[in-house]
Amino acid sequence: MERPLRTAVLGCGARGRAYAEYSLAHPDAFELAAVADPALRGDAFPCGVKASWEEALSLPDPLDAVIIALPDRLHRDACMAALDRGCHVLLEKPVGRTWSECVEIRDAQKKSGRLVLAGYVLRYSPYYRKLRALTASGAIGDLTSIHHLVAISYDKAAHAFCRGSWGREADGTGTLVQKCSHDFDLIDWWTGSRKCLKVSSFGSLVHWRPENRPAGAAAMCADCPPAVRKACPFDAQALYVGSERLRYHFADGSDEAMRAVASSAPYGRCVYACGNDNVDHQVAVMEYEGGLTATLEMESFSKRRARKTVFYGTKGEIEADGETIVLKPFLGPDETFRPGVCGKHGGGDDRMMESFLRFARKATPARAARIFEGMLESLRMAFLAEESRKTGKTVRCGGGGAA
Ligand SMILES: NC(=O)c1ccc[n+]([C@@H]2O[C@H](COP(=O)([O-])OP(=O)(O)OC[C@H]3O[C@@H](n4cnc5c(N)ncnc54)[C@H](O)[C@@H]3O)[C@@H](O)[C@H]2O)c1
């Protein structure tokens, strides 16, 4: 039997915690050799906790793999350092904040011959695998168009893209690349990696702006008059204490801890006074080789958190609402599928870790380079969509560059 991969988890917030816990639960596959996070106590994990990713990577002990779940701004430096140490890397999305950061990582990956797997968990879940199998099977003939909606939900969007880490465009990649790099990856997969020829995109911040702040609203929800709070769907007390839906973001999801979250910055702030400027909705329209078109819509103001997809083909259509898939051939009866959903990201997290282990053990440098190139190509479309939104022009996708 092969020995487990000696692994460091860098950044142990919501995502890093899931990876560290997976490693501890699968000691035959992963040995949790180091954890780095300044927000954790030194004894939070059996291997101890280092205060920074640099400290964890400078330990003299051998390391096989590094999982990077740091804030986006640290992805590039941490990934370059991990490759420099000769480690395989599981790198959370987005790979880099700009296309040029992605290219730097690609060059370092090629030089090292090591694996860099982007954290596109969704393509590992049974639900998305079923969609891929159905579209690839020819069950609806030749695909003519794909319509994919990412409904972030009003509470999650307020948490992450208004009050939280991804509110300001200058601090990251913009919401589309941050939230939807998964979806560009899925669309690329569903199209059978056909070349995308052109992309156009439109989007704006319509709602969480100072001019929409209700009369009398305070800068912090805790100080807001009760009548104003009651009428506001984004009241922090209601979202963090009165609901379970955002607690998974926090290591301590107790009522007491959530009351503290709701009454302090950043999450207790009025959504109309956060200094945020990222879009709250955006659409990207793409044309592929062979005339296939795809639309990707990202929307903050939905009640349900879901991804919904409709595929049209020359012999039928497929409707998928995030849980149920209905295959509707023009000839013959409809068929319904409900692929089992278990674990985080619809079961995608565990399968991604299994794939990471398998690839890290088996992938040759040439295969590792192909895997990463494939993942970057879909991300390039996301950056090109941003270029289109900002310039107001349709962008031609040839040439290997991006904004
Ligand atoms: N694949 C997915 O579906 C998915 C979902 C959510 C987030 N993400 C990505 O995962 C990454 C982390 O997101 P998150 O939601 O866990 O954020 P988070 O804020 O919960 O976690 C980030 C952690 O990094 C720690 N950190 C900051 N500076 C550090 C340093 N110098 N050294 C070590 N640790 C440091 C912070 O203390 C924090 O605990 C982001 O890049 C995000 O885009 C991916």
Side-chain angles (χ1 to χ4, degrees):
M1 201 182 79
E2 288 178 273
R3 67 171 178 79
L5 285 193
R6 281 182 58 82
T7 303
V9 175
L10 309 182
C12 211
R15 289 302 294 161
R17 231 172 14 251
Y19 294 123
E21 282 164 10
Y22 181 94
S23 305
L24 290 176
H26 296 81
D28 294 344
F30 294 96
E31 179 190 338
L32 190 60
V35 169
D37 196 312
L40 290 188
R41 284 170 38 152
D43 59 357
F45 286 94
C47 61
V49 177
K50 300 293 170 203
S52 73
W53 66 265
E54 290 97 331
E55 211 184 314
L57 284 190
S58 59
L59 291 174
D61 318 358
L63 265 186
D64 303 308
V66 171
I67 298 178
I68 298 176
L70 292 161
D72 303 355
R73 68 176 189 285
L74 302 176
H75 286 190
R76 188 260 314 262
D77 288 355
C79 187
M80 304 286 272
L83 288 171
D84 204 40
R85 256 200 83 151
C87 297
H88 299 294
V89 181
L90 174 56
L91 175 58
E92 261 307 350
K93 56 89 194 167
V95 167
R97 277 179 309 172
T98 60
W99 179 245
S100 61
E101 282 193 5
C102 297
V103 169
E104 280 182 64
I105 295 174
R106 182 192 64 196
D107 293 346
Q109 183 282 321
K110 276 196 179 138
K111 200 167 147 215
S112 73
R114 296 296 172 180
L115 177 73
V116 178
L117 200 69
Y120 296 148
V121 278
L122 296 181
R123 63 151 73 199
Y124 298 93
S125 76
Y127 171 86
Y128 287 104
R129 295 183 92 86
K130 183 70 189 170
L131 276 182
R132 161 70 179 157
L134 285 173
T135 51
S137 72
I140 60 166
D142 294 330
L143 279 180
T144 56
S145 63
I146 301 172
H147 305 252
H148 184 64
L149 169 70
V150 181
I152 303 174
S153 74
Y154 72 105
D155 51 357
K156 165 93 185 190
H159 169 79
F161 299 106
C162 175
R163 290 172 164 134
S165 311
W166 297 284
R168 283 167 36 81
E169 196 172 311
D171 297 338
T173 57
T175 311
L176 188 78
V177 175
Q178 169 33 244
K179 180 71 190 167
C180 296
S181 44
H182 283 302
D183 304 280
F184 282 94
D185 174 62
L186 289 173
I187 291 173
D188 181 63
W189 193 38
W190 291 328
T191 63
S193 299
R194 280 196 225 188
K195 273 202 166 34
C196 183
L197 304 175
K198 285 183 248 170
V199 58
S200 284
S201 184
F202 312 92
S204 57
L205 173 66
V206 294
H207 188 59
W208 291 315
R209 311 174 72 100
E211 60 269 33
N212 292 327
R213 188 165 163 176
M220 298 293 292
C221 293
D223 302 325
C224 216
V228 178
R229 271 173 67 169
K230 210 167 160 218
C232 177
F234 311 107
D235 170 36
Q237 180 76 17
L239 295 194
Y240 292 102
V241 187
S243 162
E244 300 288 321
R245 292 188 1 148
L246 296 172
R247 292 184 187 218
Y248 73 96
H249 286 286
F250 301 91
D252 182 354
S254 66
D255 282 351
E256 192 190 345
M258 298 316 290
R259 273 194 290 276
V261 164
S263 58
S264 54
Y267 299 114
R269 293 180 298 163
C270 173
V271 287
Y272 304 99
C274 286
N276 54 299
D277 59 4
N278 262 328
V279 303
D280 52 26
H281 70 297
Q282 188 164 347
V283 57
V285 183
M286 282 138 324
E287 185 183 23
Y288 290 81
E289 281 174 333
L292 172 68
T293 54
T295 54
L296 167 52
E297 286 182 76
M298 179 188 76
E299 175 58 60
S300 295
F301 300 104
S302 66
K303 192 157 184 177
R304 192 175 155 223
R305 201 173 293 167
R307 287 177 159 89
K308 302 180 189 179
T309 320
V310 183
F311 299 85
Y312 292 100
T314 51
K315 292 183 179 167
E317 63 184 275
I318 298 169
E319 277 180 10
D321 70 358
E323 286 170 7
T324 304
I325 298 170
V326 186
L327 171 66
K328 300 178 163 185
F330 299 148
L331 301 172
D334 293 358
E335 241 185 298
T336 299
F337 306 91
R338 288 193 186 84
V341 171
C342 56
K344 290 185 175 152
H345 284 111
D349 275 9
D350 289 4
R351 285 179 180 81
M352 185 172 73
M353 289 296 274
E354 289 159 16
S355 293
F356 180 56
L357 178 72
R358 204 173 51 250
F359 287 145
R361 284 195 168 140
K362 299 232 166 78
T364 60
R367 173 124 168 82
R370 274 201 308 279
I371 290 170
F372 192 54
E373 281 281 357
M375 293 185 140
L376 274 193
E377 184 52 22
S378 66
L379 184 57
R380 192 168 74 86
M381 295 310 119
F383 281 112
L384 290 175
E386 278 297 77
E387 181 180 329
S388 169
R389 177 179 68 84
K390 288 175 191 163
T391 61
K393 292 184 178 153
T394 296
V395 177
R396 290 184 182 275
C397 304

